[in-house]
Amino acid sequence: MKFAQHLSAHITPEWRKQYINYEEMKVMLRLARESFPDGDPAFEGKIQQFEDDFFKYCNQELKKINTFFQEKLAEATRKHCSLQGELQYVKGLQAKQGKSRIPLPTFRPPGRKIGELKLAFSEFYLSLVILQNYQDLNFTGFRKILKKHDKMLKTEIGAKWREERVDTAQFYVDKSIDSLLADTETIYTEELESGDRQRAMKRLRVPPLGQVKPQEWTTFKVGLFFGAFIVLFIIVVLAGLWRRETISWNIFFRLYRGPFWIVLFVFFIAGNVSGWRRNGVNHVLIFELDPRSSLTDQHLFELAGLFGVLWCLSVLCFLYADILTVPPYVNPLMLIVIMIAFLFNPSRTFLHGARFWLLRVMGRMCIAPFAFVNFADFWIADQLNSLTRALADLHYLFCFYGTLNGNWYYQEENSKCLQELWWTRLLVLCLPAWFRLAQCLRRYKDSKEAFPHLANGLKYATSFGVVISSTLYGLYPNGYYYKEVDSSSSIRTLAGNLNKTALAQLINERIHSDQRSLSSIDEIEKLDNPFFISWLACLFISSLYAFIWDVKIDWGLFDSKTGENTLLREEIVYGSCWIYYAGPDSFQPQIKRLMIMLPSHGQYTTAL
C-alpha cells in the first residue's frame, strides 16, 4: 500500500487537517519535476526558487504538527492527573470505610466505581495510542516525502533538512506518551486488576489502528455461508413456484419479509464498512467503538450469510411443512426467536461486545431527548427510519402470533392485526421519526443552535402527517361522500362505515336511473376524500423536504465555494467526485417511503 493510502486509512478523522499534507507536497514535487527538465538553461535558478518554496511549506507543516502535538500532550497530562486524583479519592474512601476491618492486601474500589474507573482508564489508554500513532504517521510522512524530494531532484538537501529539523522536532523526540502509557498500564494492573498484568493488558491493549488483516477461518465461513445462501435461495424460489397453490402468500410474505429485510440490512452495513475501510474512513473512531472488540466487514458478512441461511431453511420448512409433519406456522416464530435470542444473549459469546454496544446505543435512542446524543445514536436512528417496512412487518408478525387462535396448520388473513389494532401499527410507523425528532430537540437543547437541529427535526416531523393521513385513508377509503343524484333524492353516507360493494348496492337500489360502476365510484371517492388529499399533500411536502435536505446538507451538493470539487463540499473522502454526484439517487428512499406508506383499502400501508 502506498503511504498516501496508508496515511488516509490511519488518520483520526477529527484531526484530519492537523496531519502532514502529504498529497499536496507530492503534487508540488511532481509539478516541479515536469516543469524543470534537466536540459533547461535556467534549471539552477528555477530549482532554487522551488527549494525555497518547498521547504518553507515544510516548515509550516512542521510548526503546525508541533503545536497540535503539544496541545494534545498537555490535555493527556491533565487527564492523567485527573484520573489519578479520582482513583486516590476512591482509595481514600475505601481506607476510611475499612479502618475497623482487617487490612486488604490490595486495594479494590467499591463495586459502584470499579467499572467506571476501568472504562475511564481504558479510554484514556486508547487516546494515548491514537496520539502515539499521530507521532509515527507524521514522522514517516516527512521521511518519505523528503526522500522522494531527493530522488526526484537528485539532491541530498532533503535528508539534511530532515536531520536538522524533523529529527529534532518536539513531536518526534518527546517520549512523554511512552511514559504515560507505561504509567497507565502499571496503575491499571496494580490498582484495578489486583496485580494481574495479563488480565490488565488484555483489556488495555489496542490492535494496530487501521491494520485489519483477513482471518482465514472467518473468510472460509463467509464463503461457506454465502455459497449456501445463494443455493438455498434459488431452491426457495423454485419451491415457491412449485407449491404456489397451497400457500397463503399474503400471510407468508408478511411473516418472512421483516426478517429478510434485517438480513439484507446487515449485508449492506457490511458493504458500507468494507467501503469505508478501502477509502480510509476510520469508522471505529467515528462511532467511538472499542478497537479491541469492533467488528470487521468480514464478521458482518459472516453474520448476514449465517442468518440468510437460517431464513432460507425456515422458508423451506414452511413450504414443505406437510411433508415434514411440522406445523408450518411454527417456523417463522422459531426464526424470529433465534434472532432475538442472538441479540439479547447475555453470555460473553457470539460477538458479545458488538451486540451490547448496539443495545446500549438503541437504549439511548429510545430515551431521547433525555440522554446526550452521540454520532452513533443518531446514525442508528437514521438507519431505523430506513427500516420502516421491516418494522411494519415485524409488528404484523408479533400481532399474528399474539392473536393466534391455536391452529398452527392453517390460518386466514388476520383482520384484527390489519384493522382492529390499527393504532398500534400507526405507533410503530411513527417511532423511527419520533426518535430522530427527539434527538434533534436534545441537540438543540445542548447547543442552542436552531439550525441545523430544529430544521432537521422538522424534516422528521413531516413524516407524522404522512403516516397518520395514510392510516386514516386506509381506514376510511371512501371518506365522507355526498353526491346529488337527482332533484328528488340524495344520498348522504359515511362511506367509512361501508365497503365499496355495499356502497354500490345502496346507490343501485335507490337510484335506478343512474347506474354507476365501482371504478367510477373509486374516482369520486378519491376526489372527495379529504384523507386521500391530505396524504398526497403530506407525502409531497415530506419527500421534497427530505430530498432537499439530503442533497444540500447531507451530501453537500451545489456549494459554489468548493474550489476544484465542483459543486461539492470543500473536503471529500472518496477519491471520485461521481460518488457524490450520484447523491440525487437519495431520492430513491423517498420513493421507498411512498411504497411503504401507500394506503391500501382496509389494510393501511401494506403495499409492496
Side-chain angles (χ1 to χ4, degrees), residues 14 43 73 93 106 195 209 261 305 311 365 405 497 583 592 606:
E14 57 266 31
F43 177 78
L73 180 60
L93 291 179
T106 57
L209 297 177
W261 279 123
W311 183 88
M365 177 188 71
N405 58 15
N497 295 327
K592 183 187 71 174
T606 57

Side-chain angles (χ1 to χ4, degrees), residues 105-268:
T106 57
F107 162 70
R108 290 187 63 84
R112 185 179 63 86
K113 282 286 185 180
I114 187 170
E116 298 174 7
L117 287 171
K118 285 183 177 181
L119 179 61
F121 272 98
S122 179
E123 291 177 348
F124 175 66
Y125 190 88
L126 174 60
S127 69
L128 294 177
V129 172
I130 293 173
L131 189 54
Q132 190 181 55
N133 184 58
Y134 177 82
Q135 287 180 289
D136 297 338
L137 286 175
N138 284 298
F139 177 77
T140 305
F142 273 114
R143 179 174 60 81
K144 285 187 173 291
I145 200 66
L146 293 173
K147 182 179 179 181
K148 187 181 292 289
H149 166 276
D150 290 354
K151 181 179 179 180
M152 294 179 69
L153 301 181
K154 299 177 182 179
T155 180
E156 295 181 355
I157 298 176
K160 294 179 181 178
W161 194 90
R162 178 177 64 82
E163 292 175 0
E164 295 174 359
R165 304 293 182 88
V166 181
D167 291 355
T168 58
Q170 183 176 0
F171 87 89
Y172 177 64
V173 300
D174 195 323
K175 302 302 179 184
S176 300
I177 296 296
D178 296 337
S179 300
L180 288 172
L181 285 168
D183 198 20
T184 303
E185 292 174 3
T186 301
I187 293 174
Y188 196 94
T189 301
E190 298 299 329
E191 304 292 352
L192 296 173
E193 293 294 350
S194 303
D196 189 342
R197 182 170 179 80
Q198 182 178 2
R199 185 177 179 183
M201 297 314 298
K202 184 177 179 181
R203 293 178 179 270
L204 289 177
R205 285 297 184 199
V206 179
L209 297 177
Q211 298 180 6
V212 180
K213 296 182 179 181
Q215 300 177 7
E216 294 182 359
W217 177 238
T218 304
T219 304
F220 170 77
K221 288 188 290 184
V222 170
L224 175 66
F225 291 141
F226 267 94
F229 171 71
I230 293 172
V231 173
L232 287 171
F233 189 80
I234 294 174
I235 296 174
V236 164
V237 174
L238 296 176
L241 294 174
W242 181 262
R243 301 180 64 85
R244 61 182 179 272
E245 303 296 336
T246 62
I247 301 298
S248 177
W249 289 107
N250 284 339
I251 299 178
F252 171 84
F253 277 117
R254 291 194 181 99
L255 293 180
Y256 275 108
R257 189 169 48 187
F260 181 77
W261 279 123
I262 295 175
V263 172
L264 196 62
F265 175 74
V266 175
F267 173 78
F268 283 127

Side-chain angles (χ1 to χ4, degrees), residues 456-470:
N456 195 20
L458 180 61
K459 178 184 75 172
Y460 293 99
T462 59
S463 298
F464 298 146
V466 179
V467 176
I468 293 172
S469 59
S470 172

Side-chain angles (χ1 to χ4, degrees), residues 403-409 411:
T403 58
L404 200 65
N405 58 15
N407 187 350
W408 292 83
Y409 288 91
Q411 288 290 327

Side-chain angles (χ1 to χ4, degrees), residues 570-587:
E570 183 178 355
E571 291 187 12
I572 61 175
V573 174
Y574 298 101
S576 174
C577 292
W578 289 105
I579 296 177
Y580 296 89
Y581 294 143
D585 282 345
S586 63
F587 196 69

Side-chain angles (χ1 to χ4, degrees), residues 40 119 134 168 197 263 282 311 319 328 399 414 436 485 520:
D40 189 348
L119 179 61
Y134 177 82
T168 58
R197 182 170 179 80
V263 172
N282 198 331
W311 183 88
L319 295 175
C399 177
N414 194 328
R436 283 299 288 123
V485 178
S520 63

